[in-house]
Amino acid sequence: FTNFLKLEPQGEIESGNIIIGTNWAQDAGIYEFTMGATGDKVKGRYTFVYVFEDGEWKISQHHSSVMPEGTKPQPITEEEVGNLFYLWNSALATEDPDAVAKRYASKAVLLPTVSDLPRTNYDLIKDYFVEFLKKKPQGEILESNITVGHNWCQDAGIYEFTMGATGDKVKGRYSFVYVWEDGQWKISHHHSSVMPEALLGSAPKTQPAAKEEKDVLSELESLPRV
């Protein structure tokens, strides 16, 4: 309930079916929660089995699930997906590794730019940003390609960081996959890598392109000198 109570839930029984036994009772039906923190409403099926223990009725079994017809996807526009990057970028500006790590989902995977180690939990993700934030990075999206799915979305492209500590600029490729978790959009997958041509050099010219360039040079050499 630590995370669930952050949503400030309040429930209401819409329909219930009650059975009473010997020192046990059951209530099963449909309830709806209103999340005070967001205003969202969530309807689900429930079962409570109560037993008489230590002089009071206590819950022995509790089942809760979303309605089987399926959940409505959390609506988000492509513009809003793009703005999720700036929530993460603002967390970088705090220079607080904890604030940045909390932008990631509970089962997130971070494949960072300057670490060989995949970061697959909160502690590992926070550890990476302890060193990275010392550079005082601030990012800017240069090219973005967005896809929106059912309670997930993706933003992939090219970004550039300015390191406030040194003034250096670093351009890289990125992909963010976001999921709807605990009432907010969080980063489920984040891959970041430097531009490959910066390390390996430009791709070699193809044979047709090289031949075409040679033909042009030959034509130029054949022209009369003025």
Side-chain angles (χ1 to χ4, degrees):
F1 286 100
T2 298
N3 288 324
F4 184 58
L5 291 178
K6 291 177 182 178
L7 301 175
E8 301 177 9
Q10 279 293 286
E12 180 183 359
I13 300 290
E14 294 196 346
S15 64
N17 299 281
I18 294 173
I19 301 173
I20 298 176
T22 301
N23 286 338
W24 67 270
Q26 176 182 287
D27 182 5
I30 296 172
Y31 53 16
E32 184 177 66
F33 284 96
T34 299
M35 306 303 177
T38 63
D40 292 341
K41 291 182 179 292
V42 180
K43 186 177 295 188
R45 299 182 298 177
Y46 74 86
T47 302
F48 289 99
V49 176
Y50 302 95
V51 296
F52 197 71
E53 180 178 286
D54 297 332
E56 60 180 320
W57 289 97
K58 292 186 177 182
I59 300 168
S60 172
Q61 191 265 343
H62 178 200
H63 169 83
S64 182
S65 62
V66 295
M67 302 299 287
E69 292 83 357
T71 59
K72 293 183 179 179
Q74 180 66 23
I76 189 168
T77 66
E78 290 192 4
E79 181 180 1
E80 289 170 334
V81 174
N83 287 337
L84 293 175
F85 168 80
Y86 296 102
L87 293 177
W88 179 77
N89 201 41
S90 295
L92 295 183
T94 68
E95 300 181 24
D96 179 1
D98 179 68
V100 181
K102 285 180 177 177
R103 294 303 316 159
Y104 290 79
S106 58
K107 296 183 179 180
V109 175
L110 166 63
L111 303 176
T113 310
V114 291
S115 173
D116 292 339
L117 178 67
R119 309 296 174 131
T120 55
N121 59 47
Y122 169 82
D123 290 332
L124 290 173
I125 292 171
K126 179 180 177 180
D127 175 72
Y128 174 75
F129 286 107
V130 169
E131 292 300 318
F132 185 61
L133 291 179
K134 292 178 181 178
K135 301 175 183 180
K136 300 183 179 180
Q138 276 295 278
E140 178 186 3
I141 298 290
L142 303 180
E143 179 182 328
S144 173
N145 301 277
I146 290 172
T147 304
V148 177
H150 187 106
N151 285 341
W152 67 270
C153 51
Q154 175 181 285
D155 183 2
I158 296 171
Y159 53 15
E160 184 176 64
F161 286 96
T162 300
M163 305 302 176
T166 62
D168 292 342
K169 290 183 179 290
V170 180
K171 188 180 294 185
R173 299 183 297 179
Y174 74 86
S175 61
F176 289 98
V177 176
Y178 302 95
V179 296
W180 183 251
E181 180 178 287
D182 296 334
Q184 58 182 309
W185 290 100
K186 291 190 174 183
I187 301 164
S188 173
H189 170 83
H190 178 196
H191 172 86
S192 182
S193 60
V194 296
M195 304 297 286
E197 291 185 5
L199 297 175
L200 304 176
S202 300
K205 293 179 180 178
T206 61
Q207 288 185 352
K211 181 178 183 302
E212 182 179 343
E213 181 176 320
K214 184 176 180 181
D215 291 343
V216 170
L217 290 174
S218 297
E219 291 180 13
L220 290 174
E221 290 176 356
S222 67
L223 293 175
R225 301 292 191 272
V226 177

